[in-house]
């Protein structure tokens, strides 16, 4: 059984006003680099011991937070521990432009990292200020060029659209510049306003400048045109890649495979030893101190767990798979879960096919690209 391993690094230099991830702003001098790495390695051992035999790690993704702040030797110890429990064919580190330089790239590569995902967001100072980011446009461009120049790292960039006063022209110019600098994968997300964030509070009071929804939709289409025009494939609703440059780790999620989430604030979902088709999802508490303490005592970290039965796995497989160009392989999903995804969905699927929202090839369901803007609604109706 192949596993996608996710390691959460729960610290950032500063909290961005739109972010609702499990992360805490910290002075980097206070990050317990080695202690946190020890705890993650301990959690890896405990989680693997509870799995059916034969589980092996295939991809590793450091997300956060800002894992590029993690001291490379400590991060490297985690890579070595995961690599010893599988056969890794992709190791990604999420980076912010403020913590990516030549030395870090060299040390990451020596530790086994082969892909970086850089939180560029925009190449315009005014947009980065609006987003409350610490880097500026020059810093973002410099970080991308540094990663590309280092060689041996596949470089992805995150870009946001739907920002106040952002134009289609500025957005497509940014994408062109990133691709011209050697980025081979782009994750492009519309700004979403989450409750409980500073942007959420401002929006509630009507004090957050926003773009209208139809202009955001126009930008989504412009992103697609720019990326496809440059030779990237639109392989998931928000993701574009040059040939061979897709995110293998995320593809495992989207196929509905098991994933081992490690670290404070991480979420994982893995099978139970008794029945490989049902599993358990866990969500570790975000408190990194409590996380380390509990693992130092030899126990799993505090958090919540829930049973994930076969029908839930089918629904999640549909929800994620229908957001990809490949769609959902129905036999594969049935094989994984023991449940036929078609059962009970015949009428809903026929309705969506008749509306042109779904393609039913018999062995596979997919949403045509022209309907990806409403993919979440289509998924909800066949859920
Ligand atoms: S750097 Fe990323 S994870 Fe950290 S606060 Fe900003 S958006 Fe959130």
């Amino acid at each position: 059984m192949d596993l996608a391993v996710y390691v959460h690094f729960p610290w950032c230099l500063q909290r961005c006003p739109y972010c609702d991830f499990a992360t805490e702003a910290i002075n980097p001098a206070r990050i317990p680099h080695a202690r946190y790495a020890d705890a993650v390695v301990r959690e890896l051992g405990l989680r693997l011991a509870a799995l059916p035999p034969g589980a092996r790690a295939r991809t590793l993704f450091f997300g956060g937070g800002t894992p590029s702040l993690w001291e490379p030797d400590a991060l490297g110890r985690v890579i070595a521990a995961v690599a010893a429990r599988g056969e890794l064919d992709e190791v990604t580190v999420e980076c912010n432009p403020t913590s990516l330089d030549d030395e870090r790239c060299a040390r990451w590569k020596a530790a086994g990292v082969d892909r970086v995902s850089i939180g560029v967001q925009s190449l315009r100072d005014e947009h980065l200020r609006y987003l409350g980011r610490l880097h500026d446009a020059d810093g973002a461009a410099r970080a991308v060029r540094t990663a590309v120049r280092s060689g041996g790292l596949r470089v992805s960039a995150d870009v946001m659209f739907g920002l106040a006063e952002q134009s289609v022209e500025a957005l497509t110019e940014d994408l062109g510049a990133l691709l011209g600098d050697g980025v081979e994968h782009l994750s492009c997300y519309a700004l979403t306003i989450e409750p409980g964030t500073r942007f959420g509070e401002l929006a509630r009071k009507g004090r957050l400048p926003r773009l209208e929804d139809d202009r955001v939709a126009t930008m989504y289409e412009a992103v697609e045109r720019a990326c496809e025009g440059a030779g990237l494939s639109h392989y998931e609703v928000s993701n574009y890649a040059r040939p061979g440059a897709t995110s293998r780790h995320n593809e495992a999620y989207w196929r509905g495979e098991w994933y081992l989430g490690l670290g404070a604030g991480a979420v994982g979902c893995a099978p139970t030893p008794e029945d490989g088709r049902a599993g358990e999802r866990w969500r570790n508490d975000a408190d990194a101190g409590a996380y380390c303490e509990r693992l130092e005592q030899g126990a799993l970290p505090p958090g919540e767990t829930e049973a994930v039965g076969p029908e839930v796995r089918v629904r999640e497989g549909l929800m994620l798979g229908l957001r990809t160009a490949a769609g959902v392989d129905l036999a594969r999903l049935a094989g994984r879960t023991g449940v036929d995804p078609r059962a009970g969905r015949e009428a809903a699927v026929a309705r969506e096919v008749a509306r042109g929202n779904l393609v039913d090839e018999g062995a596979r369901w997919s949403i045509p690209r022209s309907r990806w803007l409403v993919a979440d609604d289509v998924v909800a109706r066949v859920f």
Side-chain angles (χ1 to χ4, degrees):
M1 177 186 50
D2 288 348
L3 290 170
V5 180
Y6 172 81
V7 175
H8 193 76
F9 185 80
W11 294 286
C12 292
L13 294 180
Q14 171 184 289
R15 183 173 266 285
C16 303
Y18 56 89
C19 178
D20 71 341
F21 295 159
T23 185
E24 179 197 347
I26 194 170
N27 174 337
R30 288 186 41 238
I31 295 175
H33 298 273
R35 185 184 184 209
Y36 192 63
D38 288 343
V40 169
V41 170
R42 285 195 176 108
E43 187 187 6
L44 171 72
L46 293 173
R47 297 279 182 206
L48 285 173
L51 293 185
R56 59 182 192 152
R58 290 312 304 266
T59 60
L60 172 58
F61 192 103
F62 291 90
T66 308
S68 51
L69 291 173
W70 208 347
E71 209 283 313
D73 286 346
L75 182 132
R77 274 201 297 118
V78 176
I79 296 175
V82 176
R85 307 301 295 266
E87 207 178 310
L88 290 176
D89 68 1
E90 185 182 272
V91 179
T92 304
V93 178
E94 272 186 347
C95 309
N96 272 337
T98 44
S99 45
L100 189 158
D101 55 27
D102 287 318
E103 192 204 334
R104 276 188 184 251
C105 286
R107 292 176 71 191
W108 289 334
K109 282 191 293 178
V113 175
D114 59 7
R115 185 171 182 274
V116 289
S117 172
I118 306 174
V120 168
Q121 314 311 348
S122 170
L123 291 178
R124 311 269 154 172
D125 285 341
E126 64 273 25
H127 297 147
L128 292 166
R129 275 195 298 273
Y130 168 81
L131 290 171
R133 301 293 304 211
L134 283 174
H135 63 276
D136 60 12
D138 284 349
R142 206 168 35 246
V144 166
R145 289 184 200 131
T146 298
V148 171
R149 192 181 55 221
S150 79
L153 290 174
R154 292 190 289 135
V155 180
S156 175
D158 285 357
V159 172
M160 290 182 98
F161 60 93
L163 312 178
E165 302 193 11
Q166 187 181 33
S167 67
V168 167
E169 292 72 27
L171 174 63
T172 50
E173 262 177 38
D174 284 2
L175 297 174
L178 291 168
L179 294 171
D181 279 340
V183 164
E184 53 184 26
H185 183 281
L186 285 163
S187 298
C188 301
Y189 297 99
L191 173 67
T192 50
I193 307 300
E194 305 292 347
T197 63
R198 197 139 57 82
F199 270 15
E201 184 61 13
L202 288 172
R204 201 177 56 75
K205 294 177 179 160
R207 286 174 36 209
L208 184 72
R210 309 267 306 267
L211 273 195
E212 305 81 48
D213 288 351
D214 56 340
R215 286 188 63 197
V216 179
T218 304
M219 288 189 158
Y220 180 84
E221 286 158 2
V223 169
E224 181 176 82
R225 274 196 306 281
C227 291
E228 292 197 331
L232 279 72
S233 69
H234 192 178
Y235 74 109
E236 194 264 352
V237 168
S238 304
N239 286 277
Y240 301 82
R242 290 210 185 279
T246 56
S247 163
R248 292 167 211 160
H249 182 83
N250 285 336
E251 285 178 319
Y253 286 150
W254 299 329
R255 283 195 302 269
E257 290 179 12
W258 300 113
Y259 55 98
L260 213 59
L262 309 173
V267 177
C269 190
T272 52
E274 309 79 52
D275 177 0
R277 293 188 294 202
E280 183 178 73
R281 185 179 349 264
W282 64 89
R283 179 183 294 275
N284 293 341
D285 287 351
D287 180 338
Y291 171 84
C292 292
E293 255 167 53
R294 188 72 74 86
L295 282 151
E296 283 155 3
Q297 292 158 7
L300 281 170
E304 295 167 6
T305 58
E306 62 172 322
V308 180
E311 184 55 41
V312 173
R313 290 198 69 211
V314 167
R315 277 194 248 126
E316 292 183 352
L318 292 175
M319 185 176 78
L320 296 166
L322 285 174
R323 292 171 57 87
T324 65
V328 177
D329 180 329
L330 298 171
R332 196 166 172 176
L333 185 55
R336 263 204 202 110
T337 58
V339 173
D340 181 357
R342 295 179 193 83
R345 295 188 170 87
E346 297 85 349
V349 166
R351 265 195 308 276
E352 295 308 314
V353 170
R355 290 174 180 155
N357 289 336
L358 196 68
V359 176
D360 181 359
E361 297 172 80
R364 187 178 290 277
W365 290 339
S366 61
I367 295 178
R369 202 89 62 76
S370 59
R371 305 298 165 96
W372 277 12
L373 260 175
V374 292
D376 289 345
D377 300 334
V378 178
V379 169
R381 290 193 290 268
V382 296
F383 207 51

mmCIF file of all heavy atoms in Angstrom, residues 12 14-16 18-19 21 23 64-66 96 133, ligand 1:
data_model
loop_
_atom_site.group_PDB
_atom_site.id
_atom_site.type_symbol
_atom_site.label_atom_id
_atom_site.label_comp_id
_atom_site.label_asym_id
_atom_site.label_seq_id
_atom_site.Cartn_x
_atom_site.Cartn_y
_atom_site.Cartn_z
ATOM 1 N N CYS A 12 4.970 30.493 11.104
ATOM 2 C CA CYS A 12 5.245 31.473 10.040
ATOM 3 C C CYS A 12 5.881 32.688 10.700
ATOM 4 O O CYS A 12 5.755 32.891 11.911
ATOM 5 C CB CYS A 12 3.956 31.924 9.361
ATOM 6 S SG CYS A 12 3.174 30.621 8.397
ATOM 7 N N GLN A 14 4.868 35.624 10.171
ATOM 8 C CA GLN A 14 3.760 36.549 10.436
ATOM 9 C C GLN A 14 2.486 35.912 9.877
ATOM 10 O O GLN A 14 2.560 35.164 8.911
ATOM 11 C CB GLN A 14 4.056 37.855 9.687
ATOM 12 C CG GLN A 14 2.946 38.852 9.669
ATOM 13 C CD GLN A 14 3.340 40.057 8.825
ATOM 14 O OE1 GLN A 14 4.188 40.843 9.226
ATOM 15 N NE2 GLN A 14 2.751 40.197 7.654
ATOM 16 N N ARG A 15 1.348 36.178 10.498
ATOM 17 C CA ARG A 15 0.114 35.591 9.965
ATOM 18 C C ARG A 15 -0.485 36.513 8.906
ATOM 19 O O ARG A 15 -0.681 37.704 9.149
ATOM 20 C CB ARG A 15 -0.904 35.363 11.088
ATOM 21 C CG ARG A 15 -2.162 34.696 10.580
ATOM 22 C CD ARG A 15 -3.083 34.310 11.700
ATOM 23 N NE ARG A 15 -2.910 32.947 12.152
ATOM 24 C CZ ARG A 15 -3.345 31.871 11.478
ATOM 25 N NH1 ARG A 15 -3.938 31.996 10.329
ATOM 26 N NH2 ARG A 15 -3.169 30.672 11.962
ATOM 27 N N CYS A 16 -0.765 35.962 7.742
ATOM 28 C CA CYS A 16 -1.373 36.755 6.669
ATOM 29 C C CYS A 16 -2.859 36.933 6.983
ATOM 30 O O CYS A 16 -3.497 36.031 7.531
ATOM 31 C CB CYS A 16 -1.184 36.053 5.332
ATOM 32 S SG CYS A 16 0.552 35.737 4.950
ATOM 33 N N TYR A 18 -5.582 36.773 5.448
ATOM 34 C CA TYR A 18 -6.624 35.946 4.826
ATOM 35 C C TYR A 18 -6.488 34.471 5.210
ATOM 36 O O TYR A 18 -7.293 33.639 4.811
ATOM 37 C CB TYR A 18 -6.553 36.060 3.290
ATOM 38 C CG TYR A 18 -5.190 35.694 2.731
ATOM 39 C CD1 TYR A 18 -4.874 34.394 2.391
ATOM 40 C CD2 TYR A 18 -4.208 36.656 2.586
ATOM 41 C CE1 TYR A 18 -3.630 34.050 1.907
ATOM 42 C CE2 TYR A 18 -2.943 36.335 2.108
ATOM 43 C CZ TYR A 18 -2.673 35.027 1.766
ATOM 44 O OH TYR A 18 -1.429 34.700 1.305
ATOM 45 N N CYS A 19 -5.457 34.132 6.002
ATOM 46 C CA CYS A 19 -5.075 32.728 6.199
ATOM 47 C C CYS A 19 -5.809 32.098 7.380
ATOM 48 O O CYS A 19 -5.835 32.663 8.472
ATOM 49 C CB CYS A 19 -3.566 32.652 6.436
ATOM 50 S SG CYS A 19 -3.001 30.975 6.735
ATOM 51 N N PHE A 21 -5.038 28.707 8.054
ATOM 52 C CA PHE A 21 -4.301 27.458 8.281
ATOM 53 C C PHE A 21 -3.843 27.370 9.734
ATOM 54 O O PHE A 21 -3.789 28.386 10.438
ATOM 55 C CB PHE A 21 -3.071 27.382 7.371
ATOM 56 C CG PHE A 21 -3.398 27.311 5.903
ATOM 57 C CD1 PHE A 21 -2.462 27.665 4.958
ATOM 58 C CD2 PHE A 21 -4.643 26.898 5.460
ATOM 59 C CE1 PHE A 21 -2.752 27.609 3.601
ATOM 60 C CE2 PHE A 21 -4.951 26.831 4.110
ATOM 61 C CZ PHE A 21 -3.991 27.195 3.181
ATOM 62 N N THR A 23 -1.366 27.672 11.924
ATOM 63 C CA THR A 23 -0.018 28.222 11.996
ATOM 64 C C THR A 23 0.025 29.353 13.016
ATOM 65 O O THR A 23 -0.985 30.000 13.286
ATOM 66 C CB THR A 23 0.441 28.726 10.605
ATOM 67 O OG1 THR A 23 1.794 29.147 10.692
ATOM 68 C CG2 THR A 23 -0.410 29.879 10.097
ATOM 69 N N GLY A 64 2.539 23.963 5.465
ATOM 70 C CA GLY A 64 2.426 24.718 6.709
ATOM 71 C C GLY A 64 1.332 25.751 6.659
ATOM 72 O O GLY A 64 0.370 25.606 5.921
ATOM 73 N N GLY A 65 1.638 26.780 7.404
ATOM 74 C CA GLY A 65 2.911 27.242 7.934
ATOM 75 C C GLY A 65 3.954 27.518 6.842
ATOM 76 O O GLY A 65 3.651 27.554 5.673
ATOM 77 N N THR A 66 5.156 27.680 7.287
ATOM 78 C CA THR A 66 6.275 27.985 6.388
ATOM 79 C C THR A 66 7.424 27.015 6.646
ATOM 80 O O THR A 66 8.378 27.333 7.369
ATOM 81 C CB THR A 66 6.765 29.445 6.595
ATOM 82 O OG1 THR A 66 5.648 30.338 6.503
ATOM 83 C CG2 THR A 66 7.792 29.840 5.538
ATOM 84 N N ASN A 96 8.379 30.192 1.425
ATOM 85 C CA ASN A 96 8.054 31.592 1.203
ATOM 86 C C ASN A 96 9.291 32.284 0.640
ATOM 87 O O ASN A 96 10.426 31.905 0.979
ATOM 88 C CB ASN A 96 7.610 32.258 2.508
ATOM 89 C CG ASN A 96 6.115 32.091 2.712
ATOM 90 O OD1 ASN A 96 5.378 31.881 1.756
ATOM 91 N ND2 ASN A 96 5.667 32.171 3.940
ATOM 92 N N ARG A 133 1.509 40.368 2.754
ATOM 93 C CA ARG A 133 2.659 39.473 2.677
ATOM 94 C C ARG A 133 3.941 40.203 3.071
ATOM 95 O O ARG A 133 4.041 41.427 2.938
ATOM 96 C CB ARG A 133 2.804 38.926 1.245
ATOM 97 C CG ARG A 133 1.596 38.164 0.765
ATOM 98 C CD ARG A 133 1.368 36.881 1.515
ATOM 99 N NE ARG A 133 2.501 36.012 1.495
ATOM 100 C CZ ARG A 133 2.427 34.665 1.521
ATOM 101 N NH1 ARG A 133 1.246 34.074 1.581
ATOM 102 N NH2 ARG A 133 3.490 33.935 1.510
HETATM 103 S S1 LIG B 1 2.702 32.445 5.021
HETATM 104 FE FE1 LIG B 1 1.115 30.995 4.248
HETATM 105 S S2 LIG B 1 0.646 29.660 6.003
HETATM 106 FE FE2 LIG B 1 1.773 31.449 6.815
HETATM 107 S S3 LIG B 1 0.170 32.864 7.475
HETATM 108 FE FE3 LIG B 1 0.717 33.447 5.351
HETATM 109 S S4 LIG B 1 -0.711 32.268 4.030
HETATM 110 FE FE4 LIG B 1 -0.806 31.356 6.095
#
